[in-house]
Amino acid sequence: MKALLVAPVLVPLVTLILCLLARRQARRVAVLSTLGALALCAVGGWLVAVAAGGTVLAGQMGGWAAPYGISLVIDRLSAALVAITGVVGLATVVYARSCDGDAAGGRDFHLFVQGLLTGVCGAFITGDVFNLYVWFEVLLISSFALIVLGGGARRVSGTVVYLFLNLLATLLFLLSAALLYGATGTLGMAGLAEVFGAGEATPGATVALVLMLLAFSIKAALFPLFGWLPASYHVAWAPVSALFAGLLTKVGVYALIRLVTLVWPEAGPAHGVLLWVACATMLVGVLGAAAQTEVRRILSFHIVSQVGYMVLGLALATPLALAGAVFYLIHHIVVKANLFFVGGLAARMAGSERLAAMGGLYAHAPWLAILFAIPALSLAGIPPLSGFWAKFVLVKASLDIGAWVAAGVALLTGVFTLLSMSKIWNEAFLKAHPDGPQALRTPARTRPAMAVMAALAALTVAIGLGAGVVMDYAVAAAAQLSDPAGYIAAVRGEGG
């Protein structure tokens, strides 16, 4: 089990090293990267199978007992996120084979993708706040390189915005970690849960924790700290945009869920603040999307609005709401990555991603229209797709405790999301291309991209049709989050 505990980090890290050794041979690097992503999928599936039985895997690196050792902890939530990270990572490296680019850029792309997967998986399984900071740094270094890959003034401009605000969040995170350690004497998440749970936290510890949650909010792109995301995601290479859209903000959301449920498992003032932030994030994100005229900018603003749904589940703090947040995380990672994949290929076929300069794609590539419709309808919450069940659970959880405004905002956001998806459908697929059908082209290599988009669309449908199974897992994951005692006991070596 110890090998399984470190495998989510070890697999992409070893893959990165192998790709680095083979860097002079672009084809070999691509093969190694694909095999590494497949191995991560296998590890994630194994972890989900173990975690589904209620086992919490925990261990201390270096043989040092908690709270001195570096804790790694995998429960139902982190296992599911590692598995879905493997799926999106595999989809990204396969989709990239359909994209134009020079050999050197392709080699570097795979190296940085594996570095990013290492950081993301490390963040999902760490049980220590300082090491969470370290893993954030690993994924950010890789993401900085990926977003600017290929160069150009537009990408450099977007990278500057991305770099500045993420470094600000990282600095705030490091400062708050230092303050938190000074106030509590520990940075282990289990230790912090014990300090706050016993009522021993000083006002300084609470202030430090709030600053840390603010840093996570920037990384999750919550209102009013979301501006960096729609200013940067749309400028990157299409596979990079999809990878970012699927994973990066979810690391911030995961950190929020993990820390808040450990230190404040019951509803309190912090949850009230998060509730209003979640509602504002949903509304501002979806209204921002309505004002955009480029496909990936629209989709980028929808990342913001959808993050609001996830934080809504955390803010409501009931078992059903937490289960809805877990369900929404799983659903959204798949759907949003797929929409960026489809949007990237659609822009290449139409010669632009400005809606005014697009059109005719339904007649030119009907299969692409279908592959867009499935995740788009799921994002809007149309039954029986995965997004419907995720939204349904969160709205029901809101109504159950009388949070009428939150339920209304969630429903209204779903309506506006459908309108945005309809705008893309009408402009890019239904209307004629302004330069005539001869302006449309089919890229030379589309089969890998088609396979990826079809597989993710099928997964979206499967999650919707098999919502009972996914919901059972999400409810069990929420039960673990609602009761930190099991997490603490596993870290302390008292059973998992």
Side-chain angles (χ1 to χ4, degrees):
M1 286 298 182
K2 288 185 178 179
L4 185 58
L5 188 61
V6 299
V9 170
L10 200 57
V11 167
L13 183 59
V14 170
T15 305
L16 169 61
I17 294 170
L18 293 176
C19 289
L20 189 60
L21 293 175
R23 190 172 179 271
R24 294 182 181 275
Q25 298 172 292
R27 186 180 297 275
R28 182 171 295 180
V29 168
V31 171
L32 287 170
S33 182
T34 304
L35 292 175
L38 272 170
L40 184 58
C41 288
V43 167
W46 191 0
L47 286 172
V48 168
V50 172
T55 300
V56 179
L57 296 176
Q60 314 301 322
M61 299 302 100
W64 292 88
Y68 307 107
I70 299 172
S71 299
L72 298 181
V73 190
I74 301 178
D75 59 2
R76 288 186 177 97
L77 176 58
S78 47
L81 292 177
V82 168
I84 208 72
T85 296
V87 170
V88 173
L90 177 61
T92 300
V93 298
V94 174
Y95 179 93
R97 298 180 62 185
S98 292
C99 298
D100 300 326
D102 59 51
R107 291 197 305 266
D108 294 340
F109 166 78
H110 288 288
L111 291 170
F112 294 124
V113 165
Q114 295 301 325
L116 187 140
L117 294 178
T118 302
V120 170
C121 289
F124 287 151
I125 69 173
T126 187
D128 181 271
V129 168
F130 183 77
N131 283 280
L132 179 60
Y133 165 79
V134 172
W135 292 121
F136 266 121
E137 287 295 288
V138 171
L139 71 90
L140 282 174
I141 290 170
S142 299
S143 67
F144 294 157
L146 282 169
I147 197 171
V148 80
L149 194 65
R154 193 165 182 247
R155 283 182 183 160
V156 171
S157 175
T159 302
V160 169
V161 176
Y162 179 87
L163 179 66
F164 176 76
L165 285 172
N166 274 279
L167 285 179
L168 177 64
T170 299
L171 180 62
L172 183 60
F173 186 3
L174 186 59
L175 173 64
S176 61
L179 293 174
L180 192 59
Y181 183 76
T184 64
T186 181
L187 287 178
M189 294 182 186
L192 291 172
E194 290 177 321
V195 170
F196 280 84
E200 299 172 356
T202 63
T206 302
V207 170
L209 185 64
V210 170
L211 289 175
M212 187 172 292
L213 296 178
L214 180 62
F216 295 158
S217 298
I218 296 174
K219 293 180 180 296
L222 288 177
F223 177 86
L225 309 167
F226 64 89
W228 60 270
L229 192 155
S232 58
Y233 275 22
H234 70 289
V235 305
W237 195 33
V240 173
S241 287
L243 183 65
F244 284 13
L247 295 180
L248 289 195
T249 53
K250 313 314 179 300
V251 181
V253 172
Y254 169 81
L256 280 170
I257 292 174
R258 179 63 71 194
L259 210 54
V260 170
T261 55
L262 280 172
V263 300
W264 294 315
E266 298 179 359
H271 295 83
V273 174
L274 283 173
L275 182 61
W276 288 107
V277 168
C279 291
T281 301
M282 285 188 280
L283 278 178
V284 172
V286 80
L287 292 176
Q292 303 307 310
T293 58
E294 293 183 9
V295 172
R296 285 194 292 172
R297 281 188 67 87
I298 293 172
L299 297 177
S300 294
F301 270 98
H302 277 300
I303 297 174
V304 176
S305 70
Q306 303 298 304
V307 164
Y309 281 100
M310 303 167 206
V311 176
L312 172 63
L314 174 62
L316 295 173
T318 65
L320 182 62
L322 285 173
V326 174
F327 196 118
Y328 214 102
L329 270 168
I330 296 170
H331 136 79
H332 188 261
I333 290 172
V334 175
V335 166
K336 183 55 69 174
N338 203 16
L339 280 171
F340 270 80
F341 285 141
V342 175
L345 187 55
R348 293 176 66 204
M349 287 185 171
S352 173
E353 61 181 327
R354 290 189 305 106
L355 293 178
M358 299 178 74
L361 288 173
Y362 182 81
H364 180 75
W367 51 268
L368 186 64
I370 295 171
L371 293 176
F372 169 78
I374 292 172
L377 293 175
S378 181
L379 191 74
I382 303 301
L385 299 170
S386 59
F388 168 76
W389 300 109
K391 286 184 170 67
F392 174 81
V393 171
L394 289 171
V395 171
K396 185 180 187 306
S398 301
L399 296 176
D400 284 348
I401 63 170
W404 310 105
V405 173
V409 169
L411 292 171
L412 184 63
T413 301
V415 172
F416 278 109
T417 301
L418 181 60
L419 292 176
S420 289
M421 295 301 104
S422 299
K423 180 169 73 173
I424 296 175
W425 176 262
N426 291 332
E427 293 292 312
F429 290 92
L430 285 189
K431 86 173 194 317
H433 196 286
D435 296 329
Q438 68 276 4
L440 295 164
R441 66 186 183 91
T442 300
R445 300 181 65 192
T446 59
R447 286 185 179 180
M450 287 174 57
V452 163
M453 295 183 297
L456 293 181
L459 183 55
T460 299
V461 174
I463 293 173
L465 297 180
V469 175
V470 181
M471 194 62 207
D472 286 344
Y473 187 93
V475 168
Q480 288 182 329
L481 292 170
S482 300
D483 182 10
Y487 185 98
I488 296 169
V491 173
R492 298 304 184 206
E494 300 166 3

